Amino acid sequence: MKQIRYADIPDVTKGQGSLIGRFALTVAIGEYHAGAREIGGNNMGPYVKTYLNGLAIDGSSWCAAFTSWCFNQAYQKLGITPPNRYNVSARGLLNVLRGLGYMLEPLEFPQSGDIVFWWRVNPTSWMGHVGIVVGSSEKKIWTVEGNRTSKVECFEYAREGDAEMDKLLGYCRIPDSLLDKKVDDIPTA
């Protein structure tokens, strides 16, 4: 895994992925460009407070809250009733999305706007980490994530030989079947 500038991510999967996911990705990239970060201490500050949405105390991990916030912004803009509760726990979010049938098959290729999950500490721990896929190729995956560092950042992972990818739990895709109308003006990140 390495930190990477958004501008350095190749345009490998632009236009692929669910419209809802791509819209959430656009929101996440907007936060990246806005410099969203912790301010005043670890897991603290106005950005983090916004993402936690009153569901966790100051100082709480915020990766799942960031992802939930980005998708909630997409749902609101598209007039969609969220299929899942706003979630500030990576494992909690994974379990809800898995229960809704949004988990991708193990060998399915992640696309822009998919949600990626990793385990922390050990595979059965309650702790995890989550981000949004920017794009992927046969050898790499690029993401935007909150709380891997003290700010919203983009990362590049090698599919093989990367210790973080050894902790991969899987990918979820929010289906466009939630849209009750055709949407033509979804921006691409």
Side-chain angles (χ1 to χ4, degrees):
M1 168 194 67
K2 72 176 183 177
Q3 208 170 322
I4 186 171
R5 292 179 331 122
Y6 176 73
D8 294 335
I9 297 173
D11 191 16
V12 290
T13 56
K14 189 173 186 177
Q16 296 179 2
S18 78
L19 294 175
I20 297 166
R22 286 184 297 152
F23 196 96
L25 173 61
T26 300
V27 172
I29 296 302
E31 292 298 287
Y32 164 82
H33 286 301
R37 66 194 179 283
E38 298 170 358
I39 298 172
N42 187 37
N43 297 335
M44 303 290 281
Y47 291 104
V48 175
K49 188 173 187 155
T50 294
Y51 304 143
L52 291 173
N53 198 29
L55 298 173
I57 60 170
D58 286 347
S60 296
S61 295
W62 51 279
C63 63
F66 171 72
T67 300
S68 288
W69 185 83
C70 292
F71 275 87
N72 263 20
Q73 298 303 303
Y75 299 144
Q76 288 175 17
K77 178 74 173 174
L78 296 168
I80 298 171
T81 301
N84 56 290
R85 269 186 321 106
Y86 196 105
N87 208 312
V88 297
S89 160
R91 287 292 186 121
L93 182 58
L94 172 63
N95 291 337
V96 168
L97 296 177
R98 180 184 286 140
L100 290 169
Y102 298 167
M103 199 80 186
L104 298 183
E105 294 299 318
L107 297 177
E108 198 167 346
F109 217 62
Q111 297 177 348
S112 298
D114 287 347
I115 305 170
V116 56
F117 294 91
W118 294 272
W119 57 266
R120 288 181 34 216
V121 181
N122 68 61
T124 59
S125 167
W126 64 269
M127 292 187 283
H129 183 70
V130 60
I132 301 173
V133 175
V134 174
S136 62
S137 70
E138 286 185 29
K139 296 189 183 242
K140 295 184 179 179
I141 176 175
W142 295 272
T143 63
V144 60
E145 303 168 32
N147 203 207
R148 182 163 298 275
T149 68
S150 62
K151 56 188 175 178
V152 174
E153 294 277 9
C154 294
F155 295 92
E156 175 182 277
Y157 299 87
R159 285 186 180 274
E160 293 184 19
D162 189 315
E164 286 302 308
M165 291 307 284
D166 291 343
K167 298 177 181 177
L168 180 69
L169 290 169
Y171 304 96
C172 291
R173 181 172 300 143
I174 306 298
D176 285 334
S177 60
L178 298 175
L179 293 167
D180 60 1
K181 61 186 182 268
K182 186 172 186 313
V183 179
D184 295 319
D185 62 343
I186 303 294
T188 56

